[in-house]
Amino acid sequence: MSDCIFCKIIKGDIPSTNVYKDEQVTAFRDINPVAPTHILIVPNKHIDSVDMMIVDDEPLIGHLFTVAKQLAAQEGISEGGYRLVVNTGVESGQTVFHIHLHLLGGRKLTKMG
Ligand code: AMP
């Protein structure tokens, strides 16, 4: 998608602090972190949101979680624990309509509401 900010980051057209990349996934630090570790794990394929994913996307979305686990270990937050968040749709707070997993950790996180 030519007007998608995360597609531009994946292509390297916009700068980002990348922490992981493979054929399926790109991960980079959130520009506005809300925790000491705040990484976005994004499929290289454009999918607007969970609501737009199809059954064929299941392995790809599963891979986001495997990468999240690896990055949590790399960040040293596996033992303490971390939160994985996927906002879906406007009322959830989703602002970038390219599916992504937030990896949050490095401090005690408050209950969600
Ligand atoms: P969400 O609100 O779940 O759609 O999350 C979108 C996230 O993308 C927010 O936490 C933003 O801070 C983050 N974000 C937006 N633009 C950039 C960017 N250029 N580089 C890194 N993170 C970004």
Side-chain angles (χ1 to χ4, degrees), residues 1-84:
M1 289 262 293
S2 57
D3 60 343
C4 170
I5 192 164
F6 286 177
C7 286
K8 288 178 183 165
I9 286 174
I10 290 159
K11 280 174 65 188
D13 292 346
I14 290 181
S16 59
T17 308
N18 286 7
V19 291
Y20 180 86
K21 194 166 185 67
D22 67 22
E23 282 184 0
Q24 298 181 81
V25 162
T26 302
F28 49 91
R29 295 199 188 275
D30 197 291
I31 203 167
N32 187 23
V34 298
T37 292
H38 189 170
I39 292 170
L40 302 173
I41 304 148
V42 181
N44 296 338
K45 172 188 172 185
H46 182 94
I47 305 168
D48 277 12
S49 73
V50 168
D51 209 47
M52 297 300 287
M53 68 176 277
I54 57 173
V55 172
D56 285 355
D57 293 325
E58 283 180 5
L60 173 60
I61 301 306
H63 186 52
L64 299 184
F65 283 81
T66 303
V67 171
K69 174 189 159 175
Q70 289 168 1
L71 289 172
Q74 206 171 290
E75 293 283 305
I77 58 172
S78 299
E79 200 177 326
Y82 51 90
R83 182 174 293 164
L84 299 172

